[in-house]
Amino acid sequence: MSALPPPPPGLDIHASRQPSLYAATIITWALAVVAVSLRFWCRTLTKSGYKLDDWLVVAATLCALGFLASTLVWVQQGYGLHYWVLGPDFVTNFFKNLFTGEILYTLVLCFAKYSILAFYRRIFATTIRIPVYVLAGVVTAWGVAVILVTIFQCNPVSGFWNRNIPADCSVSDYAFFIGNAVPNIITDAAIMTLPLPFIFRLHRTTSQKIALAGIFMLGSFIIIISIVRLVTLVQTDLKSPDLDWNFAFVGVWTATEGNMAIVCACLPSLRPILSLIITGSPNRNHYLKNPSGQAYPPRLFANKGQNSNSYNSNPDSINGSESQRAFVPMPDEQVGSMAFAARVEPGNVRSGSQFENDVEMQGLKNANKDIHFETLKRAVRPIDGVGLKGMDSERPKPFTIPMASKASSQPDSYVLGRDFKSALRLNHQHYLWYNTLHFNLHPTIASNLPSPTDGIKTATPPKIADVACGSGAWLRDVAEVLSHASFDGFDLSLAQCPPSQWLPSNIELHEWNLFNAPRVDMLACYDVVHTRLIFTVVEKEDPRPIIRNLLRMLKPGGYLQWDELDVEHSFLLRADAGAEAPAMDQMLSILTQRGKWVSRLPQSLEDCGFEDARLWNFEERESLAKAFFDNNLAKDEEMAENALKGTEEGERLLHMVTGMYKESMGGVVICTPKVVCTARKAADEGAKETAAVT
């Protein structure tokens, strides 16, 4: 080699950047190892098993170990010192280690990105899979390109580090480093922001969504490091012979970027540790909160002797039987702030469609009417990993389910069961709803009705109808409280109701198809009309035919309460964020084609002549989520064994139920928030009712 050029004036040739290199490579790699160890400890705590994203982050850590070893060897050979201390022979060592380090650095980042994408693929619904696969393809293309250019940028390959042999090295150093760093930063930004649209679709408060988004955006720290590394690269003089010194800070940021990418990939999986610190348990078992931040909704009823202007917000502190509770009058402002009751005004309601979970036919089905059941016709496709034996990969034929006829005189052909198991399911469902809402009659309605203690001699006792009364559970509970009121239950069949002799004396049951016009004795005679879960009988996304019949049953100034499912915001609830549920993922993605009318229900009610229509949103407590889901599985099994009995579709649906049940045993369920829509018939019924009927 030629003689060394003299150092610049005033340069301390004995200065060293090696301490920075040692600190950056060793400390950040140790942090990466700690993060990965904690990640696997969380898996052990939650007994959720190890997933693909866990092994991918292990691969990234092993590549980072290789990078650490390579850097330490490089430092021992003079990396971080001045050229004039090392001599010209160290140029070969510099480029050999740079060659090795560039390949290992790229592998670390690729595996870290793959781990994050695999995590997204596992915890989010199937709608995120396509962008995950696209980004994985982009990352792969970037990684392969960088590694190939690193290896073959000189011909022969050894010409990259052996500058004493003739070689064609046509790749510009600056062009290579910038071409490496810029796509890396872009893919990091795309990966970090990928889950945000899916997070903000969740049925959570704004603060909860922001907090959840913040957990995923913690990885944005790596983007800052990547940008700093790029800036350092651009400012590095690669033409100077003093490369070991000039390139030292690039090495610091390169090691930091790779190891912190591993840490960022692990952060979202460490939630069980936070839960363990806060609650003493790695599993989060607190109640879901409502938009106002309260954990419990108030009771509609209070114990006798309690102040009538207060309510008990603790559902576990109620004493006495239901029949001993009296109504608690509540002003509208107080009710509006109660838990889970986020008011949605007409014209400002959400729109969309989602999962028809826990939907009951409620006795409204009749023969002579076949409707393609959109929410189930594709739900029997095979699911990997859930034991759906005998299911092929072809798209199944649509389910054709016999449903309610508008004016059929044919015998009842309920698509679910009419036996004791079906009645048990309906009764169980009613009490799940009550323990979610903590009222049977909405407080805005109950506060406008006379209570038994109001002196009924001076007030007309209220008359209340329950349409699609099912097993009569709602009627029984409310009738025991409002003993002075009279109740009429209506359904297509009364087979699941108790004998009339066993019911309270103020209840009468009647067979009636809600698509038929109300009988004369039903017109304008009810103070309250209640209905629940008639989702599947609403035809063509238009509830107005049903609304018009319910309107005609109400007195002027009477109230409607309609309890339904907010299918638009169904979501998977996991006891552990890493739990996989391919069957539920597919069900959730399939069952999104119907139900937009639910969020538009207040507007539909006002279009038909109601006023002051409001939508109140509820979430079940996590402690009830499994019970609701099991109830829904029982409904699906009934459908397979009744309307679909003996058919290929029925067998496939049973396999689907089996798959989802297995997944639920692993701590995953489909949750569908509940809504209660309240409205009032105009006191001046004339013009509005005429308009509604026409």
Side-chain angles (χ1 to χ4, degrees):
M1 298 295 291
S2 60
L4 298 177
L11 177 67
D12 180 6
I13 62 173
H14 299 290
S16 174
R17 290 177 173 174
Q18 288 184 337
S20 297
L21 287 165
Y22 279 124
T25 54
I26 295 174
I27 293 176
T28 58
W29 187 79
L31 289 175
V33 171
V34 169
V36 173
S37 301
L38 290 175
R39 180 188 187 120
F40 275 76
W41 184 46
C42 288
R43 294 284 183 261
T44 303
L45 285 175
T46 58
K47 300 178 181 180
S48 58
Y50 306 125
K51 313 299 180 182
L52 175 61
D53 47 295
D54 299 320
W55 299 119
L56 287 170
V57 85
V58 168
T61 308
L62 292 176
C63 291
L65 176 61
F67 184 89
L68 170 65
S70 173
T71 302
L72 294 179
V73 170
W74 193 356
V75 172
Q76 290 298 314
Q77 294 174 346
Y79 188 26
L81 299 178
H82 279 294
Y83 171 79
W84 292 271
V85 175
L86 302 171
D89 293 338
F90 284 92
V91 171
T92 299
N93 291 332
F94 173 85
F95 284 105
K96 276 186 177 180
N97 288 298
L98 178 62
F99 182 89
T100 304
E102 192 63 45
I103 293 175
L104 290 171
Y105 160 78
T106 303
L107 290 174
V108 170
L109 294 184
C110 283
F111 281 119
K113 294 174 196 281
Y114 289 150
S115 177
I116 296 172
L117 291 172
F119 179 72
Y120 291 168
R121 164 65 175 77
R122 179 162 55 82
I123 67 170
F124 287 102
T126 54
T127 50
I128 203 174
R129 292 178 182 176
I130 292 178
V132 162
Y133 294 149
V134 169
L135 276 176
V138 171
V139 170
T140 301
W142 169 79
V144 170
V146 170
I147 291 174
L148 290 179
V149 171
T150 300
I151 295 173
F152 299 110
Q153 60 185 303
C154 288
N155 184 23
V157 173
S158 60
F160 179 73
W161 59 83
N162 189 349
R163 300 303 168 105
N164 295 321
I165 64 173
D168 178 16
C169 298
S170 57
V171 178
S172 166
D173 291 335
Y174 280 111
F176 171 73
F177 287 130
I178 293 174
N180 178 344
V182 172
N184 174 40
I185 294 171
I186 293 174
T187 54
D188 281 344
I191 291 172
M192 291 302 107
T193 57
L194 177 60
L196 297 184
F198 301 91
I199 290 172
F200 283 96
R201 291 176 195 167
L202 297 176
H203 191 68
R204 292 289 186 269
T205 67
T206 300
S207 60
Q208 288 171 334
K209 291 176 183 178
I210 292 174
L212 187 57
I215 293 174
F216 287 95
M217 291 301 291
L218 288 173
S220 300
F221 175 61
I222 198 64
I223 300 176
I224 298 174
I225 297 176
S226 299
I227 293 173
V228 172
R229 177 181 178 271
L230 175 59
V231 172
T232 306
L233 267 170
V234 172
Q235 294 175 346
T236 300
D237 183 4
L238 300 178
K239 301 298 184 182
S240 168
D242 200 11
L243 288 174
D244 282 287
W245 174 267
N246 292 344
F247 210 76
F249 284 146
V250 175
V252 167
W253 289 111
T254 300
T256 302
E257 180 184 10
N259 292 325
M260 295 310 295
I262 295 171
V263 173
C264 291
C266 293
L267 288 177
S269 299
L270 304 185
R271 180 195 58 80
I273 295 177
L274 183 62
S275 296
L276 183 64
I277 294 172
I278 296 174
T279 67
S281 171
N283 294 314
R284 184 184 58 176
N285 291 318
H286 56 76
Y287 293 124
L288 293 173
K289 292 186 178 182
N290 65 90
S292 64
Q294 295 169 286
Y296 291 102
R299 291 277 183 169
L300 170 60
F301 306 112
N303 297 330
K304 283 187 176 182
Q306 186 177 357
N307 189 319
S308 63
N309 293 320
S310 63
Y311 60 88
N312 189 349
S313 61
N314 185 351
D316 299 320
S317 65
I318 299 296
N319 299 314
S321 66
E322 185 78 359
S323 60
Q324 293 175 322
R325 302 181 190 127
F327 282 109
V328 179
M330 289 187 187
D332 187 61
E333 293 77 16
Q334 185 177 5
V335 174
S337 64
M338 53 181 234
F340 303 115
R343 181 179 304 175
V344 180
E345 300 293 346
N348 190 31
V349 297
R350 297 185 302 268
S351 63
S353 60
Q354 274 276 352
F355 178 44
E356 291 189 51
N357 190 24
D358 294 315
V359 174
E360 300 300 339
M361 306 301 180
Q362 294 287 40
L364 300 175
K365 290 77 191 169
N366 203 357
N368 203 31
K369 183 71 175 182
D370 285 342
I371 299 175
H372 291 292
F373 195 33
E374 293 292 332
T375 60
L376 286 175
K377 69 179 182 180
R378 295 186 303 277
V380 295
R381 290 183 290 186
I383 310 296
D384 294 336
V386 291
L388 304 186
K389 183 178 178 182
M391 293 177 62
D392 54 45
S393 59
E394 298 178 357
R395 181 173 177 174
K397 297 179 180 179
F399 286 101
T400 302
I401 306 293
M403 295 181 70
S405 172
K406 289 185 178 180
S408 173
S409 60
Q410 300 298 321
D412 171 39
S413 73
Y414 189 38
V415 298
L416 300 177
R418 292 291 192 194
D419 58 11
F420 68 94
K421 291 185 293 184
S422 303
L424 176 64
R425 176 182 53 78
L426 286 176
N427 288 321
H428 177 239
Q429 174 185 265
H430 165 73
Y431 293 109
L432 287 176
W433 269 79
Y434 179 78
N435 278 280
T436 298
L437 306 182
H438 291 287
F439 60 78
N440 285 315
L441 200 58
H442 196 280
T444 57
I445 297 174
S447 61
N448 287 285
L449 296 178
S451 77
T453 61
D454 284 344
I456 61 174
K457 293 181 180 180
T458 59
T460 303
K463 191 170 184 179
I464 299 173
D466 186 22
V467 176
C469 62
S471 63
W474 186 90
L475 282 170
R476 294 195 304 271
D477 276 7
V478 180
E480 288 181 356
V481 177
L482 289 178
S483 57
H484 65 302
S486 62
F487 295 85
D488 288 322
F490 298 94
D491 212 322
L492 195 62
S493 169
L494 304 177
Q496 291 167 304
C497 295
S500 58
Q501 297 92 326
W502 297 350
L503 293 172
S505 59
N506 56 342
I507 295 179
E508 292 186 10
L509 300 178
H510 315 268
E511 291 188 352
W512 176 61
N513 186 331
L514 88 172
F515 285 105
N516 294 341
R519 301 187 302 266
V520 174
D521 62 329
M522 298 166 58
L523 295 175
C525 66
Y526 294 102
D527 297 279
V528 178
V529 171
H530 171 265
T531 190
R532 174 178 291 172
L533 293 175
I534 58 175
F535 188 97
T536 54
V537 301
V538 174
E539 298 180 345
K540 299 178 181 180
E541 294 288 310
D542 185 7
R544 288 176 297 180
I546 298 173
I547 292 173
R548 293 182 182 114
N549 282 341
L550 300 180
L551 179 71
R552 298 179 67 189
M553 297 172 65
L554 283 168
K555 297 177 181 177
Y559 293 91
L560 172 68
Q561 177 178 323
W562 189 324
D563 308 336
E564 259 316 336
L565 293 169
D566 183 10
V567 292
E568 180 183 1
H569 294 93
S570 297
F571 61 95
L572 292 186
L573 179 65
R574 291 177 167 89
D576 170 57
E580 294 184 347
M584 294 189 205
D585 277 339
Q586 186 173 5
M587 178 68 85
L588 196 63
S589 66
I590 291 170
L591 301 177
T592 57
Q593 305 306 312
R594 299 179 63 197
K596 294 182 180 180
W597 65 269
V598 174
S599 57
R600 296 195 301 261
L601 187 55
Q603 189 61 55
S604 298
L605 289 167
E606 295 197 344
D607 289 345
C608 291
F610 281 96
E611 60 185 18
D612 196 22
R614 302 173 184 176
L615 197 65
W616 309 79
N617 301 284
F618 297 79
E619 292 174 343
E620 69 244 29
R621 306 200 306 263
E622 287 184 355
S623 58
L624 298 179
K626 182 68 162 58
F628 266 113
F629 183 73
D630 289 341
N631 190 277
N632 184 59
L633 285 183
K635 179 263 295 180
D636 289 339
E637 185 178 61
E638 279 183 38
M639 184 177 294
E641 294 177 347
N642 287 274
L644 300 176
K645 185 176 182 179
T647 66
E648 182 181 359
E649 290 88 346
E651 291 299 317
R652 290 179 175 177
L653 181 56
L654 285 175
H655 284 305
M656 174 66 77
V657 170
T658 300
M660 291 192 292
Y661 173 72
K662 289 180 179 178
E663 293 172 357
S664 72
M665 297 303 293
V668 187
V669 296
I670 297 176
C671 286
T672 302
K674 311 327 183 251
V675 299
V676 174
C677 191
T678 59
R680 184 171 181 267
K681 184 175 181 177
D684 181 11
E685 70 173 319
K688 286 192 175 182
E689 182 166 308
T690 301
V693 172
T694 58

